[in-house]
Amino acid sequence: MHGYRKTTGRRGLFACTAVLAASALTAPVASAAPSARAASTAPAASAAPAASPASPASAASAVPADSAAANREAAGVARSLERSAHPLRSTEPDGRTADLRALSAMVGDAKVVGLGEATHGSHEFFAMKERVFRHLVEERGFTTFALEMSWSAGLRIDEYLQGDPGDPRRIAEETLAGSPWEREEFVSLIGWMREHNRRHPDHRVHFMGDDLGAPKLGDRIFQRVLSSVGKTRPEALPRLTELYAGLCPFDDIFAYLRKPVAERKENAALAQAALGLVAEHQEAGGNDYTWTVQHARNIAQTFAFAAIDLADPASVTAAERLRDQAMADNVLWWQHHTGDKMLLSAHNGHVGYLSTHPETYPRTQGAVLRDRLGRDYATIGFSFAGGSFLTKEASLDGDWKPVTVPAARPGMNEHTLDRVGYRDFYLDLRTAPATARAWLDRARPVYDAGSTFTPDPLPTLALGRAYDVLIHLHQVRATDKL
């Protein structure tokens, strides 16, 4: 997720559960009919209906006064971008992946690859993630798919992948309920991962949730910690039981956030004290106990974040910084502990190096990972020129519903990208020609949606400073509900 703004809520503080952004700060979603692709676009694109008059005002206002000069500049940039672009055969996960070999080379020897999404509800983004992950598993030895979802839910999915009974749909309903990933596309991913492990027991893949515990932690993660401490350090169990007594099972973050801030801060202190107790003498507990400490750490992270004061923008910013740091720390812990190569799936604004709202998201997960991993981290952003996706009218309430936006207008990043001579393509932003590089380093309006979508004004982003690689899609459609 991503997306609280000081005047309107754009995405929500928790994408995986559409959890947090102050409900008083949300704005209604606007939608419009799709329009035709620019006339200069490659022949591969099919014509669409004429543009609807209901289009984002900020996109229209992005058109420079000298439109002819701007058009010539955009055409020159598009030609420059095309020299580095690699066409995509498909975004669907089945079939050959020869068209991804250049993408694989761009990833290089990175141990963690962040793969974003410009919306939380587009079929093509989700399908492409499975396609890229399959390719990286089969061609580059990747073994973990990490998702912007709760740590405890990720553990449950991984147990299924490693052989626990069930089926992909039931597991998705159990672990992804209410989130933007409660979709057929993720049922497909989970099913493929389970089948891969059946066919390749010597090259097993894993699923990880790198996020805090929302919409719930559940009782099971507390019991994991208590049981492990009882076996390993029984003398600490009474005190740990006392610390956790008023905290578990933490089944509804929506209700919890209505508690007084002072009470939630006290609970955060109790969870932190529990972590300190569990972490004492952890070296004596062995490898299994290392997991126990990590479980306790996620509980403490969750309660620290849930002490947020939604009425205080400074508190919201601090909580978002804490969250992105926690997600990065969890990824780093997993990678260090398992040695796995990981594909990290999250919103563009979490895997990238820049946020479209730096006043609220001053330091992204991607920026932390780059600082800690250097070249062992690479990030891939997504863009799209128009189509439909799912969002909510308010981040704390309601159902995920389809929204349609028109084709990107002149002045938007996507308008120029869509003039490249391929319908869907990707390119390495780090090695783009000089003309393209100068264009990529300037901030322009972009389509960007999470739990909610605010079309006016659109946020801005300098693509070349936000990502290492960009995948651009001409058109997207809403994801498939279970």
Side-chain angles (χ1 to χ4, degrees):
M1 95 57 282
H2 228 112
Y4 162 98
R5 287 173 45 207
K6 290 186 177 178
T7 56
T8 55
R10 183 174 56 89
R11 283 181 293 219
L13 296 182
F14 263 100
C16 56
T17 49
V19 181
L20 294 173
S23 56
L25 301 177
T26 55
V29 175
S31 63
S35 67
R37 195 176 185 185
S40 57
T41 302
S46 58
S52 162
S55 58
S58 59
S61 65
V63 181
D66 188 349
S67 58
N71 188 59
R72 288 193 298 271
E73 178 190 17
V77 170
R79 288 193 297 271
S80 182
L81 290 168
E82 191 169 325
R83 289 198 291 273
S84 297
H86 298 265
L88 276 173
R89 178 186 63 82
S90 174
T91 57
E92 297 303 311
D94 296 325
R96 296 174 291 105
T97 61
D99 56 324
L100 296 182
R101 288 174 183 163
L103 184 69
S104 183
M106 294 171 192
V107 166
D109 295 325
K111 296 176 180 176
V112 179
V113 175
L115 182 56
E117 53 200 44
T119 81
H120 282 315
S122 298
H123 167 80
E124 289 76 9
F125 297 153
F126 291 177
M128 188 66 182
K129 292 191 180 200
E130 180 179 343
R131 187 168 193 248
V132 171
F133 184 61
R134 287 193 191 191
H135 180 79
L136 294 177
V137 168
E138 294 166 350
E139 303 294 333
R140 306 290 291 192
F142 277 58
T143 46
T144 289
F145 186 95
L147 178 62
E148 181 194 343
M149 67 175 292
S150 76
W151 173 265
S152 54
L155 294 173
R156 177 68 190 96
I157 294 175
D158 194 58
E159 289 167 350
Y160 168 71
L161 298 183
Q162 308 315 315
D164 271 14
D167 64 80
R169 185 175 304 280
R170 184 179 66 81
I171 295 299
E173 290 172 344
E174 175 187 337
T175 58
L176 302 175
S179 80
W181 303 291
E182 188 188 9
R183 303 288 176 258
E184 290 290 346
E185 291 84 357
F186 274 87
V187 171
S188 173
L189 171 65
I190 293 169
W192 179 85
M193 293 176 73
R194 168 87 169 207
E195 178 62 16
H196 172 89
N197 285 349
R198 187 190 67 79
R199 291 184 290 107
H200 303 284
D202 57 340
H203 181 207
R204 304 185 72 82
V205 292
H206 294 270
F207 197 105
M208 175 220 179
D210 75 330
D211 212 336
L212 310 180
K216 64 180 182 179
L217 282 165
D219 187 63
R220 194 173 183 183
I221 191 169
F222 289 95
Q223 293 307 317
R224 283 178 186 260
V225 177
L226 290 165
S227 176
S228 177
V229 169
K231 295 175 182 177
T232 308
R233 298 176 52 216
E235 73 284 356
L237 184 59
R239 176 56 178 158
L240 182 62
T241 302
E242 178 185 357
L243 289 169
Y244 278 162
L247 303 183
C248 60
F250 195 80
D251 276 341
D252 185 352
I253 194 171
F254 300 99
Y256 183 80
L257 288 172
R258 296 185 177 95
K259 293 179 179 289
V261 173
E263 180 182 345
R264 290 187 273 122
K265 287 183 176 180
E266 290 176 5
N267 288 342
L270 292 174
Q272 184 62 37
L275 171 60
L277 180 63
V278 173
E280 287 178 5
H281 314 297
Q282 64 175 300
E283 65 281 353
N287 182 65
D288 288 345
Y289 196 75
T290 302
W291 283 88
T292 301
V293 176
Q294 176 61 15
H295 299 331
R297 182 176 296 114
N298 187 253
I299 293 170
Q301 291 169 341
T302 300
F303 277 92
F305 182 88
I308 184 174
D309 182 353
L310 292 173
D312 179 6
S315 178
V316 172
T317 297
E320 286 294 358
R321 187 178 184 116
L322 179 155
R323 180 184 173 226
D324 270 62
Q325 181 70 51
M327 290 194 294
D329 288 343
N330 292 338
V331 168
L332 291 165
W333 182 91
W334 184 285
Q335 202 286 318
H336 175 76
H337 185 75
T338 66
D340 288 1
K341 287 186 174 182
M342 306 172 64
L343 182 69
L344 170 61
S345 171
H347 194 278
N348 280 346
H350 289 306
V351 300
Y353 304 132
L354 297 177
S355 165
T356 50
H357 290 283
E359 73 282 359
T360 304
Y361 303 91
R363 183 169 166 79
T364 66
Q365 176 184 207
V368 176
L369 292 173
R370 176 180 59 182
D371 290 348
R372 294 285 297 276
L373 293 175
R375 292 188 177 182
D376 283 338
Y377 179 70
T379 182
I380 304 171
F382 265 109
S383 63
F384 70 105
S388 301
F389 48 88
L390 299 180
T391 66
K392 302 171 74 173
E393 292 184 358
S395 58
L396 285 171
D397 300 296
D399 298 324
W400 294 86
K401 297 179 180 179
V403 171
T404 300
V405 294
R409 298 300 182 88
M412 295 177 63
N413 281 321
E414 296 88 344
H415 181 265
T416 299
L417 291 167
D418 220 38
R419 298 179 69 169
V420 170
Y422 306 113
R423 179 181 177 88
D424 300 327
F425 63 90
Y426 60 90
L427 70 158
D428 192 328
L429 305 180
R430 300 163 296 188
T431 59
T435 299
R437 186 73 224 181
W439 180 85
L440 289 163
D441 283 345
R442 297 207 307 267
R444 292 176 184 80
V446 292
Y447 278 143
D448 185 69
S451 302
T452 60
F453 173 61
T454 301
D456 187 14
L458 290 173
T460 63
L461 189 69
L463 299 173
R465 293 188 284 120
Y467 316 118
D468 298 316
V469 177
L470 182 72
I471 300 174
H472 177 73
L473 305 180
H474 169 56
Q475 192 89 358
V476 298
R477 68 173 177 84
T479 49
D480 298 322
K481 295 182 179 180
L482 292 184

